[in-house]
Amino acid sequence: MKRLARLSILLLAGSPIGVAVPLRAQETAGARDAIEQDVPDEFYCGERKLGQWFYCVRSKPADAPSSTTPEPQMSAADRIAAISKQLDELKARAILEPTEANVIAYVRFQREQLDRASTFSDTWQRALWQNPDLDYTLQRPVSTVGKRLWLDNRKADRDAVLTNLGQRYGLFYFYAQSCGACEVFAPILRSVTDSHRMTVMAVSMDGGPNREFPNYVVDSGQRARMGVPGNETPALVLFDTQTKRTIPVGYGVLSADEIMDRIFMLTNTKVGSDY
C-alpha cells in the first residue's frame, strides 16, 4: 500500500494536470498585474485575441493636435448680424412652411430678442438718470411742463436778440414785383420787423415797387456784391457789419416763427449746440 500511494503521487507529479495548475495561477497573476499596472496582458489580450475584456486596457484615442493660435472670437457687431440673419431665416421658414413647430420657433426667438431690447432700454434709462451729463432731455425737455418752460425761455431770449439785432446786423429783403410768393411773404416779414423794431432794406430785383416796403431800392449790383447767389425771390439776408459777412436766412415763403427762429439761431447759437 505504501508503495502504491507513493507511485500515485509520482504519477500525478509527472502528469499534464499537475503542470496546468501552476500555469493557470501564473496566467491569472499576469492578468491581475496587467489590471494593476494598466498594461494589457500579452497572452489573453494579445496572442489569444479574446477581445476587450475587463482586464484588457483599451487603446486611448490619439489626442487632437492642439492649435497654438486661438480662434478669433466673434465681435458684437457680427453677433448682432447673426441674430438678425437667424430671425429672418426663422420668419421666412414660418411663412413658407407654416407648421406649428416653425411658427413657435420664430415667435420664441423673436421674444428673446424683444426681451434683450427691453433690457437694453431699461439699462439705458437708468444710466441717464444716474449720469445727468448724458441726459439730453435736461437741455431739451420732452415733458409737458419742462418743454413749456423751455419754450418760454427760448422765446424771451429770441425776442431780446431780435430787438437788438440792428446794433450789429443789417436785414436785406430781395423781392420782385412779378413774384407771387413775394406778395405773400412781404406782409409776414413786415409784421415781424414792426413787432421787434427791426429795420429792413428792401431791394427790388425787377425795379417794381412793394406795398409793404415803399422805401425800396432797385438792385444795381448789391446782391452780387453781397455774395448772394442766384436770383431767387423772395430772399431774406443778414449782413454782419462787424465781420462783413453775408448770412442768408432763407428763400421762399417763411412763417413768422421761422423767420425769428432762423435769425436767432444764425446769430446767437453755435453749430450743433441747439440739437
Side-chain angles (χ1 to χ4, degrees), residues 142-198:
V142 295
S143 65
T144 303
V145 176
K147 190 174 183 178
R148 182 72 263 168
L149 179 62
W150 184 88
L151 289 174
D152 290 344
N153 291 336
R154 175 65 171 256
K155 185 177 182 298
D157 294 339
R158 187 185 68 182
D159 290 343
V161 167
L162 294 178
T163 300
N164 299 312
L165 187 71
Q167 297 179 6
R168 176 174 174 175
Y169 296 93
L171 191 61
F172 290 82
Y173 169 50
F174 296 93
Y175 74 95
Q177 186 182 19
S178 58
C179 169
C182 297
E183 293 292 326
V184 176
F185 180 64
I188 299 174
L189 177 61
R190 187 72 187 187
S191 66
V192 172
T193 56
D194 287 349
S195 61
H196 292 85
R197 300 189 298 276
M198 297 164 60

Side-chain angles (χ1 to χ4, degrees), residues 123-140:
T123 305
W124 173 292
Q125 186 63 71
R126 293 167 188 262
L128 294 184
W129 290 343
Q130 299 173 29
N131 297 272
D133 58 309
L134 302 177
D135 192 353
Y136 178 70
T137 60
L138 296 179
Q139 302 176 33
R140 183 68 69 90

